[in-house]
Amino acid sequence: MCKACCDQGEITCPSCGNQMPAGRGDACESCYWSKTCRKRIAIGQAAFASRELSIEFGEFGEWLISATGPHKAALKINRFLSFFLEIDQKWQRIPSYPQLLNYFDAEGLRRVRLPMRWLHEEKGIEPDHQAKRINSEKRRIYECLSSIPPASLLGGALQSYWHQLEARIESGRTSYTSARLAVRAAATLLLKTDQAGQRLPGQTDVDLYLNTAPGQASTLTGFTNFLNREYGTSLKPVIDTRRAKKRRKEKLARSIMQMTTSAEKDDAWMSQWVRLGMEYFHDRKISIKTIGQRNIETSVDGVLITLDGERYWLPTA
């Protein structure tokens, strides 16, 4: 405790009239940070070319003080200055939500949640969640497209495939989400084939890819059909069911072995044990919801599961 606080205790803040420690001098903590924030707002306002945006930034700063408290507002205000300056340079006014989304994209708007909240609450700018979702899907699609050298043979093939999907989207025959999954599967196959992008995939490349990701067969079908039609290949996204089953069995075995080391074996653990065990030992895929504790009986050497009138035995860990 400083000498002023020790001698005088609490005094009245000259600015707001609230009690504060005497050692704070001429302003309580809230008044100090409010003054600091407003000073930073004034400095930021001098950088705007448009008087309208300068005023808007000041209004946002006052809202930020109220919404987050003066301390946080003072620390955050300069972080959002560049967002308002970009708006100033681009529009010289507050634009509509579609304009903001097209310019900053969904990821950019996520970084300025507080300014977007202010625009919604104080300026009535309604976010379009559907447009935001589509924008996010587009960004992911472009990331996949850029993963292949654009000037290469495979880069051109992937771009052409995307243009075909884009036409299907515009005609309402597919969605951006389906297109994004298709482009991602195609890009992954091409990267595994040749990262330089100069060699078209062969059947061996398709087989190797599907051996590691058998669930991608249906998603990859559209791209292999495209390559067959446009580049004269003869690819078939066929899964080696025996190998896929073997890999699944190995994965189940690893999961089961990991569960045996668990210290806590409660009801949730038992439900998971039954789910994995039924698939591993009896080739029956069931959900945890299907199991239910009423269908599980403990026996001397394991557990008995009753499903659809049949009983199955499983070992205990």
Side-chain angles (χ1 to χ4, degrees):
M1 186 178 291
C2 69
K3 187 175 187 301
C5 288
C6 184
D7 293 343
Q8 301 178 51
E10 288 193 337
I11 62 174
T12 301
C13 172
S15 300
C16 66
N18 293 325
Q19 293 297 105
M20 69 174 190
R24 290 205 61 90
D26 60 353
C28 66
E29 184 173 7
S30 178
C31 289
Y32 167 79
W33 284 113
S34 295
K35 183 179 179 181
T36 300
C37 185
R38 290 189 176 105
K39 185 183 295 184
R40 291 174 182 176
I41 292 169
I43 293 172
Q45 284 179 304
F48 288 89
S50 163
R51 174 173 170 77
E52 180 180 345
L53 259 297
S54 177
I55 294 171
E56 299 283 12
F57 182 69
E59 291 180 3
F60 166 71
E62 291 297 329
W63 174 88
L64 191 64
I65 292 173
S66 175
T68 66
H71 187 184
K72 287 185 178 179
L75 298 177
K76 290 175 180 287
I77 189 65
N78 285 340
R79 189 187 309 172
F80 301 126
L81 177 60
S82 60
F83 172 68
F84 283 91
L85 287 175
E86 283 195 68
I87 293 176
D88 182 42
Q89 293 170 7
K90 178 72 175 175
W91 295 285
Q92 294 82 51
R93 58 178 176 77
I94 298 295
S96 65
Y97 184 83
Q99 289 175 308
L100 287 169
L101 184 62
N102 289 334
Y103 184 76
F104 291 101
D105 76 41
E107 182 62 27
L109 295 184
R110 268 194 287 271
R111 298 193 187 102
V112 287
R113 286 188 177 91
L114 283 170
M116 292 306 298
R117 180 180 154 195
W118 172 74
L119 288 172
H120 173 58
E121 293 181 4
E122 302 298 322
K123 300 300 176 180
I125 294 180
E126 293 288 340
D128 186 336
H129 298 292
Q130 174 71 1
K132 188 176 179 180
R133 186 186 63 78
I134 290 174
N135 184 277
S136 295
E137 295 290 14
K138 283 182 178 180
R139 178 177 54 81
R140 294 173 184 173
I141 288 169
Y142 295 143
E143 286 174 358
C144 290
L145 294 174
S146 64
S147 66
I148 307 294
S152 65
L153 172 65
L154 298 188
L158 188 60
Q159 288 284 348
S160 298
Y161 180 53
W162 161 237
H163 293 324
Q164 183 185 95
L165 291 172
E166 205 170 19
R168 290 176 60 85
I169 291 171
E170 291 174 359
S171 64
R173 290 181 291 168
T174 192
S175 66
Y176 275 100
T177 300
S178 297
R180 187 251 304 168
L181 294 173
V183 170
R184 185 177 66 180
T188 304
L189 170 64
L190 296 181
L191 283 172
K192 288 181 178 293
T193 298
D194 180 14
Q195 291 194 356
Q198 300 303 327
R199 180 177 68 83
L200 286 170
Q203 187 61 47
T204 302
D205 299 304
V206 175
D207 292 341
L208 288 173
Y209 173 47
L210 292 180
N211 283 340
T212 58
Q216 293 293 309
S218 60
T219 308
L220 194 63
T221 301
F223 184 57
T224 54
N225 289 342
F226 168 80
L227 291 177
N228 293 341
R229 183 174 61 254
E230 301 294 332
Y231 292 86
T233 57
S234 54
L235 306 175
K236 293 182 179 179
V238 180
I239 302 172
D240 186 335
T241 53
R242 286 185 300 177
R243 181 173 293 184
K245 189 173 182 179
K246 181 181 177 182
R247 289 177 64 88
R248 175 62 181 167
K249 202 85 167 179
E250 291 171 351
K251 184 177 179 180
L252 287 169
R254 288 194 296 271
S255 298
I256 288 173
M257 290 301 295
Q258 187 176 5
M259 287 193 71
T260 62
T261 63
S262 176
E264 186 176 354
K265 297 180 174 61
D266 54 11
D267 290 344
W269 179 94
M270 178 58 74
S271 295
Q272 180 72 351
W273 177 264
V274 170
R275 187 183 71 81
L276 296 176
M278 287 295 292
E279 184 177 355
Y280 183 81
F281 293 106
H282 301 289
D283 289 325
R284 283 206 58 175
K285 288 187 177 182
I286 57 174
S287 66
I288 291 178
K289 186 178 179 180
T290 303
I291 299 166
Q293 293 302 315
R294 65 182 184 281
N295 298 325
I296 302 175
E297 300 176 33
T298 304
S299 65
V300 177
D301 56 349
V303 292
L304 294 171
I305 315 299
T306 303
L307 284 174
D308 302 327
E310 296 187 31
R311 291 164 68 83
Y312 300 89
W313 176 86
L314 295 175
T316 51

